[in-house]
């Protein structure tokens, strides 16, 4: 078994583990549903939402984790290394968090926090990784507040605009302590 197959993280009544192929459809729908419910897209069939539904394809190059509460999937995230087709900002020494999503009814219940903490712990186990990075919307105050409360720092020099849009994304990184 590989490190990602054996990695798991628990926080209270939440357990986080590598998604299994049987989980992929639920992960795709949960991610698309949570992004749409948050008002980030005008249609549930937006091109990007269709992209995040392609979990099996993504799993060939990334680590996709699910969060379970009482056996039900209530969140997911994708962890990505530099060089993957799915990496947006990951540098060679970073593990990038992407597509972090929480089922709307489970939001504000610690699921997002648990996933970010799990990503930090996963990063500590990968040789050569010294930081965890992610992007978030420039106006998403609650997400930015969560990341800052966990010790992530904004790196404005790495902020970027999604091609062919006016959506500005801001970059945060967390330096692992030796």
């Amino acid at each position: 078994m590989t490190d990602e197959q054996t990695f798991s993280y628990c926080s209270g009544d939440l357990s986080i583990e590598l998604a299994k192929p049987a989980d992929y459809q639920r992960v795709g729908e949960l991610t698309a549903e949570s992004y749409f419910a948050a008002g980030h897209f005008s249609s549930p069939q937006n091109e990007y939402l269709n992209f995040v539904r392609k979990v099996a394809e993504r799993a060939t190059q990334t680590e996709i984790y699910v969060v379970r509460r009482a056996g039900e999937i209530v969140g997911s995230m994708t962890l990505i290394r530099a060089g993957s087709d799915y990496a947006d900002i990951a540098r060679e020494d970073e593990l990038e968090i992407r597509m972090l999503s929480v089922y709307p009814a489970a939001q504000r219940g610690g699921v997002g926090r648990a996933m970010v903490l799990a990503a930090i712990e996963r990063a500590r186990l990968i040789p050569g990784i010294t930081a965890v990075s992610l992007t978030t919307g420039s106006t998403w105050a609650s997400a930015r507040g969560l990341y800052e409360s966990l010790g992530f720092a904004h790196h404005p020099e790495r902020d970027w605009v999604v091609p062919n849009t006016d959506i500005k994304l801001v970059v945060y990184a967390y330096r692992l302590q030796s």
Side-chain angles (χ1 to χ4, degrees):
M1 294 187 104
T2 61
D3 287 345
E4 64 269 12
Q5 289 171 318
T6 60
F7 177 78
S8 65
Y9 184 88
C10 291
S11 176
D13 64 345
L14 302 171
S15 63
I16 300 172
E17 63 189 19
L18 193 67
K20 296 171 182 60
D23 300 326
Y24 292 171
Q25 182 173 350
R26 175 67 182 131
V27 167
E29 289 307 317
L30 180 147
T31 304
E33 184 178 337
S34 68
Y35 286 6
F36 181 70
H40 303 317
F41 300 94
S42 60
S43 165
Q45 296 306 316
N46 175 279
E47 181 181 347
Y48 185 74
L49 298 182
N50 289 330
F51 168 75
V52 302
R53 288 183 177 101
K54 297 177 183 178
V55 179
E57 290 176 29
R58 189 164 70 245
T60 65
Q61 293 186 42
T62 67
E63 295 178 23
I64 301 171
Y65 289 90
V66 293
V67 183
R68 296 182 198 278
R69 175 180 279 146
E72 296 295 318
I73 296 174
V74 295
S76 71
M77 70 176 165
T78 301
L79 301 182
I80 304 166
R81 300 279 307 268
S84 165
D85 293 338
Y86 294 89
D88 277 338
I89 59 160
R91 293 178 173 170
E92 288 300 318
D93 67 336
E94 292 178 339
L95 185 64
E96 180 180 351
I97 301 172
R98 281 200 61 200
M99 300 174 212
L100 187 145
S101 57
V102 178
Y103 184 64
Q107 291 177 358
R108 306 271 188 257
V111 177
R113 176 177 291 276
M115 281 192 285
V116 174
L117 291 172
I120 291 168
E121 290 309 308
R122 177 68 185 115
R124 292 183 198 286
L125 300 174
I126 303 172
I129 295 296
T130 63
V132 177
S133 61
L134 57 86
T135 58
T136 191
S138 61
T139 61
W140 302 350
S142 63
R144 292 180 73 169
L146 168 64
Y147 304 135
E148 291 169 4
S149 76
L150 293 172
F152 281 74
H154 179 207
H155 290 266
E157 73 282 2
R158 294 175 66 184
D159 292 352
W160 57 289
V161 175
V162 176
N164 303 314
T165 74
D166 59 355
I167 300 169
K168 182 179 180 184
L169 297 177
V170 295
V171 176
Y172 279 83
Y174 176 90
R175 285 271 155 223
L176 301 175
Q177 303 300 316
S178 319

